[in-house]
């Protein structure tokens, strides 16, 4: 890999987990989104760069802060979902129209425990899952067209704020589940999606926050606050690999489903590319290091592949007003 | 986003402010016997430090501070420090106050960024408090106030999880976003680049609880380790020796938050509108009323509980200059880039009739003291003289 162009952002990126959204439409250049405080900067779509605001001030004077943004690609449509201190906003994929707004229960006076939504994933063909700071995961049923989004279920298995949610990007082996949710304590829950979501397994945390998670061919890739990447077998809940990957808190993970490449970005200024594979004889899950990039003097907060094979990727950093793009050497 | 961020922000910024004021006061002080009536002495310096510290650690004020609440706007917080800096006989012009606030904020931003673990922000806070206790070591009453706050900190924060600390850290980083003011002492020490961004080292000890990067371990389906591999990167990390202490007394290990100023190292900033994104800063100014009701309550408590220091009789307000000369201070005031002006605003009273009377009285005291035209500015000519030495 080598560094290619940089895309200028109107505002710098905030220090938030998974702070880079990428949409890769087939045969078109990718679109990007990065959160800065109360706004989401969108780039790369047809038309000029756009900014979306967090919604819902209520009695407070200040606009609420956004926590995350992600495109949810469903078979019928693509939605752009934003999570904030107040709730969940869903837009058409170019950010032009708001499709749906869900308000969280926010107490009148700030309580010791913060309230916010965080963690976004498309799942099960027609659902969008969003996590909350109380540990609940909201499951929204998305119609193929229009604004009639309904809250289908609330999953209550986590006791700590949700950090990230990921759906199976490849082929799940039997019994492995197709959704994983992660929280501040490092606990991972595995689900099978459907009209009713079923909990298949729980991997307890071991003292370190899981800030980012991916699921591919029944393998959970999780990034932690102590700089480790762990690979878990989704079906059995067993650990299959442990990597001392970064010297600081991991902020972002991404996976390229065609090749099994894994991208990790952390506060230590490094972005690493790894390769996941399955040993056909032993059935062991293996991970190799492929490439390292140091983004000088920057704490990386978002990292995503820009194509399904993982030949290109993009990175955002705290206080950086650009999206850095990397391509084949 | 975390409702527990304000105490940490306030105490650490306050600590930095005290380091800077102490350094400036020492740099400008004359030995007691030789000093004229209008010159700074060691006794004056100690008095200023004592007054400010005892105001900062006022019991009711601390109770209010530790209640879960959102962070204040930059303007509201600036107003609090304005008031604090004037809690004694010392006076600061707008330009000096601006510079003081710039230095405070950039120093703490640096500390938050470089903290190895989010939890280490607490160690940084303890470093500040340890130093503050040193400043007032011969005043047992104030020492007690500081110890009380120390206990409150331990009680509130020691039990928080790493995830909650990271949320606090992210809240602080949002507050400091896009601030790239260049500070001479940072530039000289090469911890800040000429574009205002901090140098993030990729070597040194890893945080406590993190392993040095490089090891890959593979386990089979029974959980038995079957393979090890290594990878290398440009980083040059080592294992840390020990963890800092989170007790009332102890070796903090971490150096962030200790006093980096000394009498021989002047405090300077370079004013540069180095941030390209003025849009993000301009947005803050659009907020119609920068003071929420809670902030007014907070400020009222701070001010209401004070004995306003009125210079008595012949004793006039002592002016402290953060710059080397008065001309420099004047020049700085005139050339400060628009986007970096703090625009200290007078508070508008709330609608509640009960509060109005109380607040109107207090508001009168809030405006930053402009140099009173009649009174002789302490040390004005003397500053020029001293700088010539």
């Amino acid at each position: 890999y080598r560094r290619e162009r940089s895309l200028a952002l109107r505002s710098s990126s905030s220090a938030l987990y998974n702070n880079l959204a990428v949409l890769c439409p087939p045969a078109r250049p990718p679109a990007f989104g990065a959160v800065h405080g109360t706004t989401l900067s969108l780039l790369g779509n047809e038309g000029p760069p756009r900014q979306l605001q967090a919604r819902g001030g209520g009695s407070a004077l200040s606009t609420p802060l956004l926590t995350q943004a992600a495109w949810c690609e469903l078979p019928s449509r693509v939605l752009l979902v934003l999570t904030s201190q107040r709730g969940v906003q869903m837009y058409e994929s170019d950010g032009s129209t708001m499709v749906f707004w869900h308000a969280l229960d926010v107490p009148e006076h700030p309580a010791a425990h913060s309230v916010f939504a965080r963690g976004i994933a498309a799942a099960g063909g027609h659902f969008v899952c969003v996590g909350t700071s109380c540990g609940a995961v909201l499951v929204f049923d998305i119609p193929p067209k229009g604004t009639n989004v309904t809250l289908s279920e609330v999953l209550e298995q986590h006791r700590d704020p949700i950090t990230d949610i990921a759906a199976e990007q490849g082929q799940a082996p039997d019994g492995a589940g197709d959704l994983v949710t992660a929280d501040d304590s490092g606990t991972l829950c595995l689900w099978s999606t459907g009209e009713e979501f079923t909990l298949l397994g729980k991997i307890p945390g071991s003292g370190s926050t899981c800030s980012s998670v991916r699921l591919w061919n029944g393998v959970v890739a999780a990034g932690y606050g102590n700089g480790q990447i762990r690979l878990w077998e989704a079906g059995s809940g067993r650990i299959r690999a442990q990597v001392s990957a970064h010297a600081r808190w991991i902020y972002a993970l991404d996976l390229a489903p065609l090749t099994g490449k894994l991208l990790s970005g952390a506060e230590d200024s490094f972005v690493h590319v790894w390769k996941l594979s399955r040993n056909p004889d032993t059935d062991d899950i293996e991970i190799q290091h492929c490439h390292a990039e140091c983004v000088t003097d920057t704490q990386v907060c978002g990292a995503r592949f820009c194509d399904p094979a993982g030949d290109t990727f993009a990175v955002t950093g705290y206080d950086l007003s650009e999206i850095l793009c990397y391509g084949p050497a | 986003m975390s409702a527990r961020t304000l105490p940490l922000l306030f105490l650490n910024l306050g600590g930095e402010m005290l380091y800077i004021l102490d350094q400036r006061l020492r740099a400008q002080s004359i030995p007691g016997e030789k000093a004229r009536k209008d010159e700074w002495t060691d006794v004056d310096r100690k008095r200023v430090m004592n007054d400010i510290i005892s105001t900062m650690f006022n019991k009711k004020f601390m109770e209010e501070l530790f209640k879960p609440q959102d962070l204040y706007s930059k303007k509201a917080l600036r107003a609090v420090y304005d008031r604090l800096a004037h809690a004694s006989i010392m006076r600061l012009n707008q330009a000096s106050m601006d510079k003081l606030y710039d230095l405070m904020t950039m120093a703490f931003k640096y500390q938050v960024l470089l903290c190895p673990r989010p939890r280490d922000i607490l160690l940084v806070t303890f470093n500040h408090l340890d130093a503050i206790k040193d400043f007032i070591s011969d005043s047992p009453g104030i020492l007690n106030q500081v110890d009380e706050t120390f206990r409150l900190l331990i009680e509130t924060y020691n039990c928080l999880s790493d995830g909650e600390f990271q949320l606090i850290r992210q809240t602080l980083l949002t507050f400091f976003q896009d601030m790239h003011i260049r500070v001479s002492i940072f530039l000289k020490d090469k911890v800040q680049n000429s574009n205002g961004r901090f140098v993030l080292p990729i070597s040194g000890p890893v945080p406590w609880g993190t392993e040095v990067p490089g090891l890959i371990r593979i386990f089979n389906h029974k959980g038995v380790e079957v393979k090890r591999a290594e990878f290398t990167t440009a980083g040059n990390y080592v294992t840390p020796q020990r963890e800092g202490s989170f007790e009332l007394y102890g070796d903090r290990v971490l150096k962030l938050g200790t006093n980096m100023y000394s009498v021989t190292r002047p405090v300077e900033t370079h004013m540069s509108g180095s941030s390209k994104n003025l849009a993000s800063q301009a947005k803050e100014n659009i907020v119609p009323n920068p003071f929420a009701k809670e902030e007014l309550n907070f400020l009222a408590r701070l001010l209401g509980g004070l004995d306003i220091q009125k210079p008595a009789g012949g004793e006039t307000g002592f002016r402290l200059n953060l710059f080397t000369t008065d001309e420099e201070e004047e020049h700085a005031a005139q050339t400060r880039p628009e986007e970096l002006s703090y625009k200290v605003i007078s508070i508008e009273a709330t609608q509640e009739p009960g509060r109005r009377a109380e607040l109107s009285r207090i508001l009168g005291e809030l405006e930053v003291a402009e140099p009173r035209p009649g009174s002789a500015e302490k040390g004005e000519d003397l500053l020029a003289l001293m700088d010539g030495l």
Side-chain angles (χ1 to χ4, degrees):
Chain A
Y1 293 95
R2 64 177 175 79
R3 171 104 162 247
E4 293 182 339
R5 65 222 161 107
S6 301
L7 302 170
L9 284 168
R10 280 262 288 275
S11 351
S12 61
S13 302
S14 291
L16 295 165
Y17 303 140
N18 307 302
N19 190 5
L20 177 60
V22 176
L23 178 65
C24 314
R28 285 202 330 251
F32 300 96
V35 171
H36 169 93
T38 59
T39 56
L40 173 70
S41 291
L42 291 175
L43 281 186
N45 277 310
E46 302 88 40
R50 186 178 244 140
Q51 293 208 309
L52 295 178
Q53 279 282 108
R55 183 189 146 148
S59 56
L61 288 164
S62 50
T63 325
L65 294 169
L66 288 173
T67 56
Q68 200 181 351
W71 273 283
C72 291
E73 295 181 67
L74 298 164
S76 54
R77 70 201 290 192
V78 176
L79 288 180
L80 174 60
V81 180
L82 278 61
T83 50
S84 75
Q85 289 178 280
R86 293 279 178 278
V88 185
Q89 292 154 255
M90 298 191 191
Y91 293 80
E92 296 295 356
S93 72
D94 62 354
S96 57
T97 341
M98 192 185 295
V99 167
F100 180 68
W101 158 248
H102 173 91
L104 291 173
D105 260 319
V106 177
E108 210 184 290
H109 299 289
H113 292 285
S114 324
V115 174
F116 53 86
R118 184 176 61 187
I120 304 167
H126 59 100
F127 297 106
V128 163
C129 300
V130 176
T132 64
S133 50
C134 62
V137 176
L138 309 171
V139 180
F140 295 98
D141 195 334
I142 313 290
K145 273 201 305 249
T147 60
N148 191 19
V149 175
T150 53
L151 180 60
S152 151
E153 233 188 310
V154 178
L155 310 174
E156 284 166 329
Q157 282 293 333
H158 289 274
R159 288 203 303 264
D160 296 277
I162 303 292
T163 48
D164 198 15
I165 306 178
E168 169 64 70
Q169 287 177 264
Q171 287 284 76
D174 288 330
D178 55 347
L179 187 78
V180 59
T181 53
D183 74 25
D184 254 7
S185 71
T187 302
L188 301 169
C189 287
L190 287 133
W191 308 84
S192 87
T193 61
E195 289 317 307
E196 260 182 42
F197 281 43
T198 322
L199 179 73
L200 295 181
K202 205 184 252 193
I203 298 171
S206 50
S208 197
T209 301
C210 174
S211 40
S212 201
V213 78
R214 283 289 178 266
L215 179 57
W216 182 68
N217 293 346
V219 176
V220 175
Y224 294 85
N226 63 2
Q228 277 187 358
I229 293 176
R230 294 184 178 177
L231 302 181
W232 305 85
E233 181 96 68
S236 63
R238 289 211 136 98
I239 189 168
R240 297 310 296 265
Q242 182 167 297
V243 186
S244 307
H246 288 274
R248 293 264 193 292
W249 205 285
I250 292 180
Y251 261 59
L253 279 190
D254 198 20
L255 199 139
L258 288 185
T259 53
K261 280 198 186 149
L262 183 71
L263 185 67
S264 64
E267 281 175 5
D268 65 353
S269 306
F270 279 92
V271 174
H272 290 295
V273 182
W274 317 83
K275 183 89 165 31
L276 266 57
S277 57
R278 251 222 213 246
N279 187 314
D281 308 316
T282 60
D283 210 32
D284 284 339
I285 297 164
E286 310 218 327
I287 175 168
Q288 294 172 289
H289 183 254
C290 298
H291 184 80
E293 277 294 330
C294 181
V295 188
T296 316
D297 298 337
T298 304
Q299 300 200 335
V300 175
C301 56
R304 292 249 188 190
F305 285 118
C306 301
D307 68 283
D311 292 327
T312 55
F313 62 89
V315 170
T316 54
Y318 168 68
D319 249 358
L320 205 61
S321 303
E322 311 173 280
I323 297 178
L324 307 173
C325 299
Y326 297 79
Chain B
M1 215 160 337
S2 167
R4 286 193 259 235
T5 315
L6 189 60
L8 298 179
L9 182 61
F10 177 76
L11 289 170
N12 284 292
L13 286 181
E16 287 302 314
M17 180 174 87
L18 290 165
Y19 289 159
I20 297 163
L21 290 178
D22 181 68
Q23 191 272 334
R24 285 312 282 171
L25 289 168
R26 279 178 199 270
Q28 294 179 11
S29 82
I30 307 272
E33 332 78 63
K34 300 210 195 109
R36 299 205 305 257
K37 199 165 153 247
D38 52 347
E39 288 176 313
W40 286 111
T41 65
D42 242 26
V43 171
D44 295 327
R45 173 177 58 81
K46 285 214 161 121
R47 178 178 168 185
V48 170
M49 297 297 281
N50 278 14
D51 287 346
I52 296 178
I53 293 171
S54 83
T55 307
M56 228 175 110
F57 289 89
N58 172 276
K59 185 162 192 246
K60 280 209 160 39
F61 181 68
M62 277 296 144
E63 277 168 9
E64 192 64 45
L65 186 71
F66 273 76
K67 287 192 185 144
Q69 59 197 301
D70 286 330
L71 275 191
Y72 288 1
S73 65
K74 291 194 170 81
K75 285 179 189 50
L77 199 64
R78 164 65 199 265
V80 172
Y81 286 108
D82 251 304
R83 192 63 197 83
L84 250 188
H86 289 89
S88 183
I89 51 175
M90 185 182 70
R91 291 286 167 266
L92 288 167
N93 283 343
Q94 176 87 323
S96 276
M97 190 64 220
D98 283 345
K99 177 170 168 176
L100 176 63
Y101 196 68
D102 287 342
L103 289 169
M104 285 158 56
T105 43
M106 287 310 284
F108 189 41
K109 178 174 183 176
Y110 173 69
Q111 289 152 16
V112 172
L113 259 179
L114 262 80
C115 256
R117 300 173 298 177
R119 182 178 297 275
D120 292 337
I121 291 176
L122 204 49
L123 289 178
V124 172
T125 317
F126 290 159
N127 271 335
H128 281 116
L129 288 193
D130 287 340
I132 289 172
K133 279 162 71 170
D134 231 16
F135 285 139
I136 40 117
S137 52
D138 42 7
S139 309
I142 313 176
L143 202 52
N144 200 24
Q145 283 176 261
V146 179
D147 270 338
E148 272 311 304
T149 303
F150 226 118
R151 279 187 210 104
L152 199 48
L153 270 175
I154 290 174
E155 204 182 283
T156 312
Y157 291 96
N158 273 18
C159 56
L160 293 190
S161 69
D162 287 342
E164 281 170 302
F165 269 111
Q166 181 63 280
L167 193 67
I168 288 173
R169 182 172 176 277
Q170 289 173 347
T171 310
L172 287 169
L173 288 177
T174 301
F175 184 83
F176 290 126
Q177 194 144 358
D178 300 322
M179 293 184 68
H180 302 297
I181 298 163
R182 284 143 50 200
V183 176
S184 267
I185 199 172
F186 287 142
L187 294 170
K188 283 202 188 84
D189 286 349
K190 303 237 185 302
V191 302
Q192 191 178 27
N193 294 319
S194 54
N195 62 3
R197 283 156 193 283
F198 289 118
V199 173
L200 301 184
I202 55 170
S203 59
V206 288
W208 190 262
T210 294
E211 287 168 8
V212 173
L215 188 61
I216 300 174
R217 300 164 70 192
I218 307 287
F219 303 91
N220 67 12
H221 62 277
K222 292 205 192 91
V224 176
E225 186 183 311
V226 291
K227 188 165 149 189
R228 278 198 174 203
E230 287 194 7
F231 68 94
T232 52
T233 59
N236 184 13
Y237 297 102
V238 295
T239 28
Q241 299 232 320
R242 59 191 191 286
E243 194 185 9
S245 161
F246 287 87
E247 308 292 314
L248 195 56
Y249 300 99
D251 179 8
R252 311 297 173 197
V253 180
L254 198 62
K255 291 287 161 264
L256 294 170
T258 55
N259 196 345
M260 62 178 164
Y261 303 103
S262 67
V263 191
T264 52
R265 308 188 76 182
V267 287
E268 290 159 34
T269 52
H270 295 290
M271 271 305 108
S272 64
S274 57
S275 167
K276 284 183 273 180
N277 294 306
L278 305 181
S280 48
Q281 280 157 338
K283 276 197 168 61
E284 256 248 75
N285 299 339
I286 294 169
V287 173
N289 181 354
F291 294 99
K293 202 160 113 184
E294 299 74 39
E295 294 170 359
L296 276 172
N297 291 346
F298 181 64
L299 282 165
R301 269 198 202 285
L302 166 62
L303 308 175
L306 287 182
D307 277 326
I308 310 295
Q309 294 281 350
K310 281 263 182 306
E315 186 187 52
T316 56
F318 291 35
R319 195 175 64 98
L320 182 69
N321 188 346
L322 271 265
F323 297 84
T324 339
T325 63
D326 286 347
E327 291 71 43
E328 239 189 86
E329 188 186 44
E330 177 62 35
H331 180 71
Q334 282 165 357
T335 58
R336 190 177 180 86
E338 185 55 30
E339 67 270 13
L340 292 171
S341 92
Y342 290 107
K343 291 192 177 64
V344 180
I345 307 175
S346 38
I347 301 174
E348 292 166 31
T350 62
Q351 297 307 312
E352 293 166 291
R355 292 225 83 89
R356 200 180 287 165
E358 165 81 335
L359 282 171
S360 306
R361 180 185 74 75
I362 292 167
L363 290 182
E365 325 283 357
L366 188 68
E367 249 112 40
V368 177
E370 289 304 300
R372 296 187 187 82
S375 64
E377 291 304 330
K378 172 148 181 125
E380 202 167 1
D381 300 332
L382 229 44
L383 276 172
L385 241 186
M386 278 162 63
D387 290 324
L389 292 173

